[in-house]
Amino acid sequence: MQRFKSLLPQTRFSSRSLFSHPRPFSAQPNYAQRNDDEEDPQNQILVQGRAKSRSAILNRPSSLNALTTSMVARLKRLYDSWEENSDIGFVLMKGKGTAFCSGADVVRLYHSLNEGNAEEAKEFFRTLYSFVYLQGTYLKPHVSILNGRTMGCGSGISLPGMFRVVTDKTIFSHPEAQIGFHPDAGASYLLSRLPGYLGEYLALTGDKLNGVEMIACRLATHYSLNARLAWLEERLGKLVTDDPSIVEASLSQYADLVYPDRSGILHKIDTIDRCFSHDTVEEIIEALEKEAAESLDEWCLTTLQKIREASPLSLKVILRSIREGRFETLDQCLIREYRISVRAISKNVSSDFVEGVRARMVDKDFTPKWDPPSLKDVSEDMVDHYFSPFSELEPELVLPTALREPYM
């Protein structure tokens, strides 16, 4: 419990970042149907200009702002141009509707893969990860307003930035294991730097954090009630500055002092550490079963159920990815995640990604037929394949590390 107290915010905002760098990511389910009225790339990302700032607004509300290749490509073009424009002091990103971003439009990826168009999916991941790296090395102050669902790679396009504002409507999660994928877009960098083994827990179970919990574990820097957001944005819009301290002071003006609820997941941090610190998924499950038998805690049984519903292959890949991310820079994490993503869509070892999307988001029978079907059927060679470098026929992800220095 003493360790948990250290997670509690002592001011109206926590430190700027989990990262040592002053400027501080999972393809993921989209639970809404496509709306053809929102398919114009110009309309998918709206731009709002103020005196000294620019705002990028994700605009596919009927799809919970799920990301497409054209959306991410437009974001990258805009951010590149804004960084070079000396008249722009800082940049803001938000979503339209009830979600910030539900992650990738995986239903679109599913259809592309079923049509034999794997290159289209690869282009999405290349474009996405390149933008995440741009965000993580951006030279100007950046404000993300995470009001509503922030899922999968929705965190990847926002959390690497300098300031992350959450609200009483924010819901953060990485449920990729449930669709046979893995937390990507820098998630292995971010989650591996959370307190204790909280990152492993979130990645393997897909459990959610609310805005208060994101503040407590420093995923977010400022908390504001949804009802006060309009005032906060109005204040930011009037700023004529490129000074991060002035932007921070304005955010703090509308920030609320909050503490995690005693029923929240952060009060399970000691149990999480005991169970999720083990080296293998099998050992984690065994520890949870032992904890459930000794404590009779319903939380243990619920956690076990979430893990058992996930793709066995994804669980092993995810655990290794998070563990490797602890010792890698952001660019190294993105390069490794790109390899995993390409292997996941290639179907050479398993079709779990396509099957998971089918079961949970297309047919919605919620009975995926995982292959391999159990943890004991997942060999080390299978897992190694997802992490191994590509042959000369498949290009690796290339990031501009010589121009934009990575950080730990």
Side-chain angles (χ1 to χ4, degrees), residues 216-230:
C217 64
R218 298 186 179 182
L219 280 169
T221 58
H222 297 78
Y223 182 96
S224 174
L225 293 174
N226 175 63
R228 291 158 59 92
L229 274 185

Side-chain angles (χ1 to χ4, degrees), residues 200-213:
E200 282 89 337
Y201 168 76
L202 294 173
L204 294 174
T205 66
D207 202 4
K208 304 175 181 65
L209 296 179
N210 59 33
V212 176
E213 292 165 333

Side-chain angles (χ1 to χ4, degrees), residues 132-388:
V132 172
Y133 188 71
L134 174 64
Q135 265 278 42
T137 57
Y138 209 59
L139 298 178
K140 294 184 177 180
H142 184 270
V143 179
S144 298
I145 299 179
L146 311 177
N147 190 36
R149 295 188 194 185
T150 303
M151 303 168 68
C153 64
S155 65
I157 64 168
S158 56
L159 295 184
M162 189 177 291
F163 303 114
R164 291 91 64 196
V165 180
V166 292
T167 75
D168 48 318
K169 303 291 185 181
T170 302
I171 301 173
F172 168 89
S173 65
H174 273 286
E176 291 87 350
Q178 305 294 321
I179 58 167
F181 202 61
H182 69 112
D184 69 325
S188 65
Y189 181 89
L190 173 72
L191 295 176
S192 65
R193 284 158 174 79
L194 293 182
Y197 294 89
L198 180 62
E200 282 89 337
Y201 168 76
L202 294 173
L204 294 174
T205 66
D207 202 4
K208 304 175 181 65
L209 296 179
N210 59 33
V212 176
E213 292 165 333
M214 290 180 71
I215 285 285
C217 64
R218 298 186 179 182
L219 280 169
T221 58
H222 297 78
Y223 182 96
S224 174
L225 293 174
N226 175 63
R228 291 158 59 92
L229 274 185
W231 299 339
L232 183 148
E233 290 186 50
E234 182 180 1
R235 171 63 179 150
L236 291 175
K238 293 178 179 178
L239 293 182
V240 182
T241 186
D242 60 1
D243 187 340
S245 65
I246 295 177
V247 176
E248 184 171 54
S250 297
L251 290 171
S252 300
Q253 223 179 333
Y254 292 92
D256 295 285
L257 185 63
V258 290
Y259 292 92
D261 187 276
R262 291 195 63 83
S263 63
I265 189 57
L266 295 185
H267 283 273
K268 296 285 187 183
I269 193 71
D270 291 334
T271 305
I272 287 172
D273 283 356
R274 280 198 302 274
C275 296
F276 285 83
S277 59
H278 293 281
D279 293 336
T280 67
V281 178
E282 290 90 341
E283 289 172 333
I284 289 171
I285 290 174
E286 184 179 345
L288 283 166
E289 290 174 337
K290 180 181 178 183
E291 189 78 29
E294 293 177 354
S295 67
L296 303 179
D297 190 341
E298 185 66 27
W299 172 84
C300 295
L301 298 177
T302 301
T303 300
L304 281 166
Q305 181 180 353
K306 290 175 181 176
I307 292 175
R308 286 166 175 156
E309 289 175 351
S311 156
L313 177 57
S314 286
L315 290 172
K316 293 202 171 189
V317 168
I318 288 169
L319 183 60
R320 177 169 164 181
S321 182
I322 300 297
R323 295 283 163 84
E324 290 191 4
R326 273 194 170 87
F327 307 101
E328 295 178 335
T329 56
L330 177 61
D331 62 303
Q332 291 170 334
C333 286
L334 289 167
I335 290 169
R336 172 176 40 72
E337 289 169 0
Y338 180 71
R339 291 173 184 166
I340 297 172
S341 296
V342 170
R343 263 55 185 265
I345 64 175
S346 70
K347 308 179 186 179
N348 289 335
V349 172
S350 172
S351 299
D352 275 4
F353 174 57
V354 170
E355 172 62 12
V357 176
R358 179 208 65 77
R360 297 191 178 276
M361 309 188 63
V362 179
D363 297 341
K364 298 183 180 179
D365 55 34
F366 299 97
T367 55
K369 297 176 176 58
W370 302 125
D371 181 26
S374 66
L375 289 169
K376 64 181 175 60
D377 297 313
V378 180
S379 69
E380 287 188 21
D381 287 343
M382 290 178 182
V383 177
D384 287 343
H385 177 71
Y386 279 74
F387 291 81
S388 61

Side-chain angles (χ1 to χ4, degrees), residues 41-48 55-59 74 78 82 96:
Q42 293 292 112
N43 289 335
Q44 291 175 347
I45 304 290
L46 303 179
V47 174
Q48 186 176 56
S55 297
I57 305 169
L58 310 183
N59 186 38
R74 178 161 161 77
L78 289 170
W82 292 342
K96 188 174 182 180

